[in-house]
Amino acid sequence: MKYLIIISTITLALIFSAYSVNGQEITENKKAAWTQFKAEEGTEWEVRWNKHGEAPRSLFAGKSVRFQGTPEAIARQFLAKHKELFSFENDLKTLKYRETKSRKGTSTVILDQVYKGLPVYGAEYRVHILSDGSINLVTGHYYPNISLSKSTSISEIEASTIAVEHLAEESNALESSNEELVVFVKDEHTFHLSYKFDVHSNNKRIFWNVFVDAKSGEVLKANNLNVGMGGAEPPNLQRKLSPKFNGNQKENANKASLATGLGNVFATHPGLNSNLTSGYLWNLNSPTKLNGTYLKVGYFDDQFKDIGASYYFNYSETDDELDEVMAYHHSENFRRNYISNIDSDVANQMPKTVINVRAGSCSAFYYPGPKKITLGTNGYVDNDNCNKASREDKVIMHEYMHAVTHKLNGSLVNISSDTERALIEGLADYFPGSYTDRPELGDYMFANHDSDYRGRREMDDPDYDVFGDIEYDVNGDFEEVYIVGEFFSSILWDIRSDASNSDDIDEVIFYSIETVNNDPDFLDFRNVMIAKDQAMNSGANWKMIQNRFADKGVGMHAPLDVDITGPSSITSGVNATWTASSSDGQSPLQYEWKKIPFGGGSGTVVGTGSSYTGTNTSDFYIQATITDSRTHEGYLKNYITVTGGGCQPGFPCKPIAPGTEQPESFSLEQNYPNPFNPSTEITYALPEAAEVVLKVYNIMGQEVATLINNNMSAGFHSITFDANTLPSGVYIARMDAVGQSGTTFTKELKMQLIK
């Protein structure tokens, strides 16, 4: 069955170029700024431009030089250094500091865009800083060409009335709050002075952001902020309840466990195991109510009854109170035993969430305004629509995961697009699935519907396997984004399945929620995951992450791993053979060999087989490029030293260091050879005697060698860095010198070890 999916903001071809956006060429100034950026920060960086090519939407896959200072100072230094690339003003006055979030030795600095003192709604940059002061990700939205008057034509009261009347059909008891004058961005290129209102019902179950043009009174947009599982909003039903006990309660609980209750629960749901078992009810504050440190559970309209005795809450499957016990147990179990294992600080700082179990609703929702979850119940007997949401463990966890997402990244609560809503739904599908190791969600709640029903999610068998196959209709029903959410969660599930350690992937995805920018799409989230994997796992999974997204039509595949076997040193005029291979390329493979002069240049194609045999009279690079059957490509370039030969045109000899003459300034020269295996020479110059510290770091900023830590005389010096025990990769040499005159010098250079 094919669906018409309402993703008006999703671009079906999520593949991008550094020099074009939506078919538009990037300006020459931006090309020059990007070239300069890579020259200063490293060629491994990638850029994704915003819709109109005016500023980067994300910079990722690289690692900058290191900066010093507070996280905010580091972020501003980096952005100011590359202000031409971002189209910033000189003093960065359009960026207002919001906050810094620090986790696992990394920091994310969030800077909001302002225009004439007004917030630009949804515009922000998030700068991800590693423990050594370097940066490996910038992501967000920035609009450099805003031109707008701050004068209004209608008052806040008039705009508030318009906002409430616009949603009058949703409820007859609405009110607005939190008025704010903002710059509203439409289609990334049209700007409106707008009033922003939070519009909600009296019980705050209906919750919207509404934007009203401050000049014309037009409603520019209304965002429904509620998220959840299928179905429609329920009627206003209530039940009168009285405690029921099945005779198994103990009147006197052990004092040592007063804060932990017990109650009967389904360990999963009745469709998998219909037997009730005893479940813990942690962190209770009351012996008779399901009211705890992190949760408060009751019936519709916040009826919190006494349903327990001495911390015991044992009911049978025919009792309505069992739904409350299920809601408390599975939410708190998910927080305490899963979220806490990922990050105990997040779990322990979760705000108190209210859960209402109610009748007559085939749905489950999270309401960010009051931080409330509602779980639909249709009575004990199955009907034609659905079973009780409160009897399926993963549905309960799904809604609680929305609360966790809200805690991690409040920007994601202000849902700006159906793409963002789908992404949030996919995340809430993924984590309960990972915790339980069950890829299907809603299989009990919607057991009476086939697997294509929007409330049933199958991460291992989604309705769509390729993003480009998803059709969309901007006039459709927004709830169809659940299908796209299933598609997104299926990518995450594939990544988890391919990882050598699924716990590492859970952490990468979890912390990516906190770091990802406002109104993200799937590529934004992928880029953040790559940056987080670099920070947390030394990039062990980044290619796999990129490839699993690309397999489903989101972005491009990572370059192939290419290896060259053969000598690293040859004798002039004597033939040698090199062989190329790829561990992740799919046959048949195509090969291209190039011989490139040491001094640079594009080189000459010298072969097209899996091996190349040849010679040279001076040092050169041998490069192998492999393309596989999927048109995935990768290359590797090895440095080859030549002995017994002279210099020849196009292949210059190794530069000779100066003799005994006195250098005029401090310098740190590029290592030679580079790339190298396993050793390389680093040359530096001191115009005066100085204290010198020369250290080498890996790409994660971890120190791997101290080459010099001593007083050195003036002159030219060189030292050998032996990386025999280190793995292949990029390394950074950093020199800090303080001359006898007090002059200071600091410089870093990148070196590539290829084994």
Side-chain angles (χ1 to χ4, degrees), residues 111-174:
L111 301 166
D112 294 318
Q113 183 181 0
V114 295
Y115 175 76
K116 296 182 179 179
L118 296 177
V120 181
Y121 183 76
E124 63 179 17
Y125 268 133
R126 295 181 176 231
V127 183
H128 191 245
I129 305 170
L130 303 180
S131 58
D132 66 346
S134 62
I135 290 164
N136 75 336
L137 173 76
V138 179
T139 185
H141 304 277
Y142 183 81
Y143 308 100
N145 297 320
I146 300 175
S147 179
L148 200 63
S149 169
K150 290 178 63 176
S151 63
T152 63
S153 299
I154 63 173
S155 67
E156 283 188 8
I157 295 176
E158 291 172 315
S160 175
T161 301
I162 292 171
V164 171
E165 289 180 350
H166 179 75
L167 297 176
E169 293 183 1
E170 300 291 334
S171 173
N172 57 8
L174 291 175

Side-chain angles (χ1 to χ4, degrees), residues 498-634:
D498 283 358
S500 59
N501 187 331
S502 61
D503 290 343
D504 289 345
I505 296 302
D506 283 357
E507 288 191 0
V508 165
I509 298 171
F510 188 82
Y511 291 118
S512 294
I513 296 174
E514 185 173 59
T515 300
V516 76
N517 50 279
N518 174 68
D519 192 16
D521 62 16
F522 300 161
L523 268 181
D524 290 327
F525 202 85
R526 183 208 69 175
N527 296 344
V528 176
M529 285 183 63
I530 289 172
K532 283 296 182 183
D533 187 67
Q534 288 174 332
M536 298 166 60
N537 304 311
S538 300
N541 303 293
W542 82 266
K543 281 194 173 185
M544 185 267 289
I545 291 170
Q546 184 164 332
N547 286 335
R548 294 298 79 77
F549 272 89
D551 287 346
K552 295 201 170 183
V554 181
M556 301 175 68
H557 285 89
L560 298 178
D561 286 323
V562 175
D563 185 46
I564 298 176
T565 57
S568 59
S569 178
I570 65 172
T571 301
S572 175
V574 178
N575 281 340
T577 299
W578 295 270
T579 300
S581 61
S582 174
S583 60
D584 56 353
Q586 291 186 7
S587 296
L589 304 178
Q590 296 179 341
Y591 303 84
E592 180 185 84
W593 291 90
K594 275 189 175 183
K595 195 161 62 170
I596 302 172
F598 167 73
S602 59
T604 303
V605 176
V606 293
T608 56
S610 60
S611 296
Y612 164 70
T613 299
T615 188
N616 211 50
T617 57
S618 63
D619 295 358
F620 67 103
Y621 294 101
I622 190 73
Q623 176 178 297
T625 300
I626 296 180
T627 305
D628 74 357
S629 60
R630 304 164 299 179
T631 69
H632 301 174
E633 185 177 283

Side-chain angles (χ1 to χ4, degrees), residues 306-355:
D306 292 319
I307 64 170
S310 300
Y311 296 99
Y312 282 85
F313 300 79
N314 289 333
Y315 292 92
S316 71
E317 58 185 333
T318 59
D319 294 326
D320 292 329
E321 288 80 3
L322 179 64
D323 300 308
E324 294 178 80
V325 181
M326 283 282 293
Y328 191 100
H329 167 76
H330 286 295
S331 296
E332 181 63 356
N333 177 39
F334 184 66
R335 183 203 66 82
R336 184 179 187 273
N337 294 321
Y338 180 64
I339 300 300
S340 184
N341 284 340
I342 297 176
D343 193 304
S344 59
D345 288 341
V346 173
N348 294 335
Q349 294 168 11
M350 281 295 297
K352 193 166 188 173
T353 302
V354 174
I355 302 180

Side-chain angles (χ1 to χ4, degrees), residues 443-717:
D443 49 316
Y444 175 73
M445 181 178 175
F446 298 107
N448 297 322
H449 296 264
D450 61 35
S451 61
D452 287 335
Y453 182 67
R454 65 172 175 255
R456 294 188 66 167
R457 327 280 173 79
E458 296 175 297
M459 293 186 287
D460 60 344
D461 186 23
D463 288 304
Y464 292 93
D465 288 320
V466 178
F467 193 68
D469 290 344
I470 300 177
E471 302 171 359
Y472 68 100
D473 178 2
V474 296
N475 297 315
D477 178 358
F478 85 88
E479 289 184 353
E480 299 293 358
V481 299
Y482 295 144
I483 305 300
V484 185
E486 176 192 56
F487 170 81
F488 177 66
S489 67
S490 75
I491 300 176
L492 303 182
W493 191 260
D494 289 347
I495 293 170
R496 176 185 185 270
S497 300
D498 283 358
S500 59
N501 187 331
S502 61
D503 290 343
D504 289 345
I505 296 302
D506 283 357
E507 288 191 0
V508 165
I509 298 171
F510 188 82
Y511 291 118
S512 294
I513 296 174
E514 185 173 59
T515 300
V516 76
N517 50 279
N518 174 68
D519 192 16
D521 62 16
F522 300 161
L523 268 181
D524 290 327
F525 202 85
R526 183 208 69 175
N527 296 344
V528 176
M529 285 183 63
I530 289 172
K532 283 296 182 183
D533 187 67
Q534 288 174 332
M536 298 166 60
N537 304 311
S538 300
N541 303 293
W542 82 266
K543 281 194 173 185
M544 185 267 289
I545 291 170
Q546 184 164 332
N547 286 335
R548 294 298 79 77
F549 272 89
D551 287 346
K552 295 201 170 183
V554 181
M556 301 175 68
H557 285 89
L560 298 178
D561 286 323
V562 175
D563 185 46
I564 298 176
T565 57
S568 59
S569 178
I570 65 172
T571 301
S572 175
V574 178
N575 281 340
T577 299
W578 295 270
T579 300
S581 61
S582 174
S583 60
D584 56 353
Q586 291 186 7
S587 296
L589 304 178
Q590 296 179 341
Y591 303 84
E592 180 185 84
W593 291 90
K594 275 189 175 183
K595 195 161 62 170
I596 302 172
F598 167 73
S602 59
T604 303
V605 176
V606 293
T608 56
S610 60
S611 296
Y612 164 70
T613 299
T615 188
N616 211 50
T617 57
S618 63
D619 295 358
F620 67 103
Y621 294 101
I622 190 73
Q623 176 178 297
T625 300
I626 296 180
T627 305
D628 74 357
S629 60
R630 304 164 299 179
T631 69
H632 301 174
E633 185 177 283
Y635 76 92
L636 181 64
K637 183 168 66 175
N638 279 359
Y639 182 77
I640 310 299
T641 59
V642 179
T643 60
C647 301
Q648 67 180 50
F651 289 84
C653 295
K654 170 184 173 181
I656 300 174
T660 58
E661 67 269 21
Q662 192 80 351
E664 296 180 355
S665 61
F666 289 94
S667 68
L668 176 65
E669 304 301 327
Q670 185 65 50
N671 61 302
Y672 176 87
N674 190 43
F676 68 98
N677 180 25
S679 62
T680 188
E681 187 176 292
I682 301 173
T683 300
Y684 62 98
L686 305 175
E688 58 183 286
E691 294 181 6
V692 177
V693 177
L694 180 58
K695 294 185 177 183
V696 179
Y697 301 84
N698 63 19
I699 196 66
M700 301 309 301
Q702 299 165 325
E703 182 181 328
V704 298
T706 298
L707 303 182
I708 303 172
N709 186 5
N710 206 348
N711 290 318
M712 304 297 294
S713 61
F716 291 95
H717 302 267

